[in-house]
Amino acid sequence: MSKPVIIITYARSLMALTVAQSVRPIAGRLIGVDSVDWTVLGFSGLCDETRCIPDPNETPEDYVAALVALSRECREETGGPVLVMPVFEDTPLLAAHREAFPGGVTIAAPSAEAIAQVHPKDRLARSAEKWGVPAPKTQVLTDPAAAQSAEVEDALPAILKPAEGCGGRGISLVEDAETLEQELDDREGTTLVQTPAPGEDYCVTAMADGETVFALSAYRNLEQFPPQSGAGALRETVDAAPFRSAMETIARGAGWTGTLQADFRWTGEPGDTPQLIEINARLWAGITHSVNSGVDYPLLLAKQALGEKLPEAGEPEIGYRSKLPLLWLAGLTGKSLEEADYFAQIEDNWRELKEADATLPERIGQLWLDMTDFETLKDDVEAAIERSRRGGDADADVGPSEAGSTALGSLFILSHLLRYGSLPAEVKHD
């Protein structure tokens, strides 16, 4: 059997870089696709080529059509199998359009039927109750602006989150009736009102075959940036055993095949039960950490999708730590650098640099300095020193060594800034 052509989406990201590193040995040809021309994957040396295609969020139909055309082209050229590996938020879209692809093309994603049980988030609330998976009490408001605050005031304090959305976007903690009324007035679309669960957040990841879980690992964020809702800047692998029962119930209840990622809240106490917060029908921002910790999820996913013999799943290294240098450095500033100020500063600086009389390398260098400006440390030196000690010996989570150094973080961000003038979801949220 000939080696497959593997098409990796969201080529701008460090996530795609990790996927490419994992599957490169089994690929006859590796193609990275994105809606921007300048991508981390394109610079990595891992790809045979890159393609610029429509943005899935702007024109989803055109995005699917472009991938169908590319897949057909690869099939006609090689006559061999083609594997499309969606990396981030395009996973539900491609799963739903699986039948549009020609024969011999496989989408490395769970079935649309499985995803529909957990996505959008209001469906997960109903499914968790049906499956008997412990989860916070949740109310679903289809029209939050029309809802009477009295209907949910007895649930205060509460977490409000949109049914659609990735990571921490649109999530608010509401503690009083006045804030609740304002939040409901400002929100559009289906909104969840959820009782806060005690403990800390845990990211639990697995591989499932429709019935069972055959790979399992978990990590927690020791540091995030921004501190309250951002992506993990310093992560640590923990024992996944407390979450196994719930993950197996989810896999069996949904008939889930492929990678499965769920967020839990847990106190860490043996007598307390972890509570399911969210399931993401996509790869997760900490995929590089998970792979380096000992479980090569992208390789397992690719082999499973292709129907090939699976390698040993591997055991995660408990206590393994990794950091994403860009966010970890920014996080050293602690409370003295607020989310809005930091991200607005980067975006404003890039817009100015785009018009500057400077070479592209000079602009990259200046932006990197802007991102890691330690002038802000003067008001929070002790906290910064403590964070530095905490993560100083953690591995740098920047992908394969041949692809560069911490500048990869800049390339990833700049690829998004070039097109949109704003920072991408992968950096802002886990």
Side-chain angles (χ1 to χ4, degrees):
M1 181 178 176
S2 62
K3 286 187 173 182
V5 176
I6 299 182
I7 300 170
I8 299 175
T9 72
Y10 199 47
R12 76 189 73 175
S13 75
L14 299 180
M15 298 166 65
L17 196 66
T18 296
V19 173
Q21 185 184 29
S22 292
V23 304
R24 176 71 267 189
I26 68 168
R29 182 179 171 197
L30 198 62
I31 303 174
V33 300
D34 208 315
S35 59
V36 295
D37 294 312
W38 188 34
T39 64
V40 174
L41 201 52
F43 278 88
S44 70
L46 293 167
C47 274
D48 296 298
E49 65 174 296
T50 58
R51 297 282 186 97
C52 190
I53 63 175
D55 188 284
N57 296 313
E58 294 179 358
T59 54
E61 298 86 357
D62 293 341
Y63 178 75
V64 172
L67 280 176
V68 168
L70 176 57
S71 300
R72 182 176 291 111
E73 174 189 323
C74 293
R75 278 285 292 166
E76 292 172 352
E77 287 180 0
T78 67
V82 176
L83 177 65
V84 179
M85 299 193 71
V87 168
F88 205 42
E89 295 176 277
D90 57 341
T91 303
L93 175 66
L94 294 182
H97 289 83
R98 184 178 265 111
E99 298 304 317
F101 288 81
V105 178
T106 303
I107 309 297
S111 69
E113 293 75 17
I115 292 174
Q117 296 184 66
V118 303
H119 176 83
K121 297 180 179 71
D122 56 311
R123 295 181 182 175
L124 173 60
R126 299 183 182 99
S127 293
E129 184 176 0
K130 178 179 68 175
W131 297 331
V133 175
K137 181 181 177 182
T138 302
Q139 290 179 258
V140 178
L141 305 179
T142 55
D143 187 356
Q148 298 296 316
S149 59
E151 296 177 20
V152 291
E153 278 184 20
D154 60 349
L156 294 178
I159 303 292
L160 268 63
K161 62 175 68 173
E164 297 275 7
C166 174
R169 282 173 286 178
I171 297 180
S172 302
L173 172 62
V174 176
E175 299 185 283
D176 58 76
E178 182 179 351
T179 305
L180 173 63
E181 185 173 350
Q182 182 179 345
E183 283 278 353
L184 293 177
D185 286 342
D186 291 343
R187 289 177 180 263
E188 297 180 356
T190 301
T191 296
L192 278 63
V193 181
Q194 198 169 71
T195 303
E200 299 180 10
D201 291 335
Y202 290 82
C203 176
V204 185
T205 59
M207 279 292 300
D209 60 10
E211 288 288 339
T212 62
V213 165
F214 61 89
L216 185 69
S217 60
Y219 66 79
R220 61 179 180 140
N221 291 326
L222 299 178
E223 296 285 348
Q224 292 174 263
F225 190 82
Q228 298 304 317
S229 63
L234 179 64
R235 302 180 172 105
E236 180 181 50
T237 301
V238 298
D239 185 5
F243 312 98
R244 177 175 288 278
S245 177
M247 294 295 278
E248 290 178 340
T249 299
I250 294 166
R252 187 168 53 253
W256 198 278
T257 298
T259 54
L260 174 62
Q261 188 271 317
D263 293 330
F264 288 83
R265 291 278 291 179
W266 185 42
T267 63
E269 296 296 325
D272 293 339
T273 301
Q275 296 195 52
L276 176 66
I277 301 298
E278 190 168 326
I279 292 177
N280 291 306
R282 55 171 174 80
L283 294 182
W284 48 99
I287 185 68
T288 306
H289 176 94
S290 298
V291 170
N292 291 341
S293 179
V295 183
D296 195 337
Y297 285 103
L299 181 60
L300 290 169
L301 178 61
K303 289 274 194 178
Q304 182 191 55
L306 291 166
E308 298 181 1
K309 182 180 179 181
L310 298 180
E312 290 293 325
E315 289 293 331
E317 178 187 343
I318 308 302
Y320 172 79
R321 292 185 178 187
S322 73
K323 61 190 176 189
L324 185 58
L326 166 68
L327 296 186
W328 181 69
L329 287 170
L332 290 180
T333 61
K335 296 178 181 178
S336 64
L337 192 59
E338 296 297 329
E339 170 185 1
D341 293 340
Y342 181 72
F343 287 134
Q345 173 188 322
I346 294 174
E347 291 166 0
D348 288 345
N349 288 355
W350 175 244
R351 280 189 283 271
E352 293 177 7
L353 286 168
K354 284 176 67 178
E355 306 300 326
D357 183 18
T359 65
L360 191 58
E362 289 171 341
R363 294 175 190 174
I364 294 174
Q366 183 58 53
L367 187 69
W368 183 253
L369 291 175
D370 293 340
M371 291 176 178
T372 56
D373 180 5
F374 282 89
E375 281 297 310
T376 52
L377 289 177
K378 60 180 179 287
D379 296 325
D380 203 10
V381 173
E382 290 185 7
I385 291 174
E386 177 58 31
R387 289 184 176 90
S388 180
R389 288 174 180 156
R390 195 175 190 180
D393 59 350
D395 287 350
D397 191 6
V398 295
S401 58
E402 68 268 26
S405 62
T406 54
L408 285 171
S410 293
L411 290 174
F412 165 37
I413 287 175
L414 291 181
S415 66
H416 203 272
L417 287 170
L418 280 167
R419 177 66 179 266
Y420 303 108
S422 64
L423 291 160
E426 183 187 341
V427 166
K428 288 186 176 180
H429 305 288
D430 231 337

